[in-house]
């Protein structure tokens, strides 16, 4: 059960009002609560203008067997149609033979930075595809590269699953005409 720090009379604030409150909040707990409220408000705002059923075809690329066998099952339970690749060549094959709405790729698949190679191939084949990098080895340089390449997300493993799914769904809604 989720509790709000805002008094009941203030729970119906607009996302703009919540963003303004969050910008000035000093207390970490209150800030977290405001961010949750803001996220909910933004999701409610976009629900009425987006299709009921977002297409959720996802390619997950990671060389670690453990995460490759567990994360797809979790994503499938959240409504995603997941295909998996364990290497860059496998990812290229999937990209050539299937349509995807989302790419979730490890940064370092076989070599350092392989994730960027996979993302570039996906963007060339499917320009509207949401592209998110996961990494167990975050670095300033790769974060900057993610910004320069206009990725939709750069997350550190282990990523919070609710945040990951929320990010993906927000990005998919934003790309839906």
């Amino acid at each position: 059960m989720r509790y709000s720090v805002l008094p009941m009379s203030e729970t119906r604030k607009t996302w703009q009002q919540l963003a303004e409150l969050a910008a000035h909040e000093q207390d970490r707990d209150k800030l977290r609560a405001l961010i949750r409220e803001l996220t909910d408000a933004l999701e409610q705002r976009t629900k009425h203008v987006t299709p009921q059923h977002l297409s959720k075809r996802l390619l997950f690329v990671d060389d670690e067997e453990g995460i490759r066998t567990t994360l797809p099952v979790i994503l499938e339970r959240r409504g995603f149609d997941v295909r998996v690749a364990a290497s860059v060549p496998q990812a290229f094959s999937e990209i050539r033979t299937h349509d995807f709405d989302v790419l979730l790729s490890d940064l370092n698949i076989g070599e350092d930075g392989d994730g960027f190679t996979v993302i570039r191939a996906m963007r060339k084949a499917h320009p509207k595809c949401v592209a998110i990098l996961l990494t167990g080895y975050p670095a300033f340089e790769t974060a900057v590269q993610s910004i320069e390449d206009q990725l939709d997300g750069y997350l550190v493993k282990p990523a919070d699953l609710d945040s990951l799914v929320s990010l993906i769904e927000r990005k998919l809604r934003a790309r839906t005409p």
Side-chain angles (χ1 to χ4, degrees), residues 8-98:
M8 198 62 157
S9 63
E10 296 181 37
T11 57
R12 292 192 182 104
K13 291 192 178 299
T14 66
W15 69 268
Q16 295 98 331
Q17 292 167 322
L18 289 165
E20 182 68 27
L21 287 171
H24 300 294
E25 184 57 59
Q26 298 296 314
D27 182 280
R28 286 182 186 219
D29 292 333
K30 289 181 181 178
L31 179 59
R32 284 187 190 104
L34 282 169
I35 290 170
R36 283 192 298 272
E37 297 274 344
L38 177 58
T39 301
D40 290 344
L42 288 171
E43 286 177 358
Q44 290 301 317
R45 180 176 175 262
T46 59
K47 277 184 184 174
H48 71 281
V49 295
T50 58
Q52 290 264 344
H53 303 289
L54 292 174
S55 182
K56 295 182 174 182
R57 298 166 300 192
L58 184 145
L59 175 60
F60 177 55
V61 185
D62 201 304
D63 59 341
E64 290 181 50
E65 185 177 356
I67 192 169
R68 220 175 37 247
T69 56
T70 56
L71 186 58
V73 173
I74 294 167
L75 291 171
E76 286 170 351
R77 288 183 183 154
R78 302 280 185 109
F80 291 91
D81 176 17
V82 182
R83 297 197 60 88
V84 179
S87 66
V88 173
Q90 285 180 5
F92 288 167
S93 176
E94 290 289 332
I95 291 167
R96 278 191 307 272
T97 58
H98 297 88

